[in-house]
Amino acid sequence: MTTTAQETTPRPGRGSEIRRSELAAFLRSRRERITPEQVGLPRGARRRTPGLRREEVAQLSAVGVTWYTWLEQARDIQVSVQVLDALARTLRLDASERAHLFQLAGATDPTPAANCPSVTPALRALLDSLDPIPACIQNSRYDILAYNRTYGLLLSDLDAVPPEDRNCMLLVYTNKDWQAAVVHLEESQRLMAARLRASLAGHLGEPAWKMLLKRLETQSPQFRENWERYEVVGTRTKSKEFLNPYVGHLMLEHTDLWLGPELGARMVTYTPRTEETRERLERLHALALSRV
């Protein structure tokens, strides 16, 4: 992104001015606490700025240096949710800080890290009642919105994954632990990319989808290769095999249970195909409970 892509738009009002000043101060404070070593940059002998320089934040976030400088100067400029997402990742904001960033910018966070009202207490209770059957709630973008304890340890320690990164597409293409647990990894990656493209038709231009695709294309050459195949696959029940790091080989049947008439949010369940797998899921559930 370059500075020519940004437009200044007058938005009069004392409240907006105060909010821009707060946003500028917040960005500066978070920039100054990140060391170059944390983001893989050399410190250098002549560095006087505590933390990162403005141009380093701009480079890491793929935005124009002049535009980012204006943002820290509290100028009245437009900022997209894609840019806010990139800044949040560069500055390593936690969930509360990320929410604060979006609030100051007057934007809505489109990622699953934000509160999801569609996951009701009743649905969460249903997920828990299915243990030791692994189950979660996903949307059509593969965001993991909620999950039970067995699912939390099915392919990796999902609790250790930041909420904004709990997306099956990101995990299967970029997370080494998740990848190691999928027995037929290349086949799964290709099928999931084809399912994502089929779902994309109903969400063209939506910021959250654009953000996800940009991350995948940037971080995974394998995703770019599969995405360029332009394959499309619908939903279907299928067998899965996982090599769980805690209890070993699991043979499961994947089922999607749709939560509405549209092919959007769904409950995903993994029922055991063998008695041995059932016993191993019970052990995995017991392990998950012991870690609470």
Side-chain angles (χ1 to χ4, degrees):
M1 179 178 297
T2 63
T3 55
T4 57
Q6 310 299 328
E7 297 181 359
T8 58
T9 302
R11 281 178 286 179
R14 180 63 178 165
S16 296
E17 182 180 339
I18 294 173
R19 191 169 62 186
R20 291 196 305 272
S21 296
E22 286 293 318
L23 175 61
F26 180 66
L27 288 172
R28 284 196 299 270
S29 70
R30 292 309 179 265
R31 170 172 61 83
E32 291 173 355
R33 74 176 184 176
I34 302 294
T35 66
E37 292 85 356
Q38 284 179 289
V39 294
L41 295 175
R43 173 168 290 277
R46 303 179 61 181
R47 179 180 294 270
R48 294 190 299 270
T49 304
L52 297 178
R53 300 186 179 100
R54 285 175 175 172
E55 57 266 29
E56 290 170 336
V57 173
Q59 177 186 357
L60 292 168
S61 304
V63 301
V65 176
T66 301
W67 181 86
Y68 179 75
T69 300
W70 287 349
L71 196 59
E72 280 203 7
Q73 291 174 344
R75 297 211 191 180
D76 190 5
I77 59 175
Q78 296 277 12
V79 56
S80 69
V81 293
Q82 291 91 337
V83 167
L84 291 172
D85 176 71
L87 291 173
R89 296 180 192 283
T90 296
L91 299 174
R92 302 193 170 194
L93 303 186
D94 62 23
S96 297
E97 292 168 335
R98 181 186 175 97
H100 187 62
L101 173 69
F102 275 80
Q103 185 174 22
L104 288 175
T108 301
D109 188 350
T111 71
N115 181 45
C116 181
S118 64
V119 182
T120 63
L123 279 176
R124 292 185 185 276
L126 180 58
L127 284 175
D128 292 339
S129 72
L130 289 173
D131 273 320
I133 303 253
C136 70
I137 295 175
Q138 297 178 18
N139 59 20
S140 56
R141 201 172 53 242
Y142 280 101
D143 293 324
I144 302 171
L145 307 177
Y147 53 93
N148 63 14
R149 298 205 178 277
T150 310
Y151 185 89
L153 292 181
L154 184 63
L155 291 104
S156 68
D157 185 357
L158 198 52
D159 287 347
V161 176
E164 62 269 21
D165 294 339
R166 292 175 191 164
N167 174 282
C168 291
M169 291 296 300
L170 285 172
L171 292 166
V172 81
Y173 276 102
T174 67
N175 184 286
K176 299 300 183 184
D177 293 335
W178 193 280
Q179 291 172 336
V182 179
V183 173
H184 304 290
L185 178 62
E186 291 184 7
E187 178 185 343
S188 294
Q189 289 175 328
R190 184 170 175 176
L191 176 62
M192 289 173 67
R195 288 188 64 180
L196 186 71
R197 185 172 285 283
S199 298
L200 176 64
H203 303 275
L204 295 172
E206 292 183 14
W209 284 76
K210 292 165 67 175
M211 287 164 52
L212 174 62
L213 291 174
K214 182 177 180 180
R215 284 192 70 188
L216 287 165
E217 290 172 340
T218 300
Q219 298 178 19
S220 174
Q222 185 61 48
F223 174 79
R224 291 198 300 272
E225 179 181 334
N226 286 337
W227 193 246
E228 289 168 2
R229 294 176 185 269
Y230 277 83
E231 295 176 332
V232 176
V233 174
T235 61
R236 61 190 183 192
T237 297
K238 50 195 169 296
S239 299
K240 290 288 187 78
E241 291 184 55
F242 299 137
L243 189 60
N244 184 269
Y246 305 104
V247 298
H249 187 232
L250 299 171
M251 302 180 67
L252 302 159
E253 196 76 11
H254 171 124
T255 303
D256 288 324
L257 304 171
W258 301 99
L259 302 181
E262 302 294 330
L263 296 182
R266 62 189 183 273
M267 181 175 292
V268 179
T269 63
Y270 290 94
T271 52
R273 291 166 51 199
T274 67
E275 187 60 34
E276 183 178 38
T277 292
R278 183 178 298 277
E279 293 172 357
R280 290 178 176 179
L281 287 179
E282 291 173 355
R283 286 163 46 200
L284 188 62
H285 179 228
L287 175 61
L289 289 176
S290 71
R291 301 176 63 168
V292 175

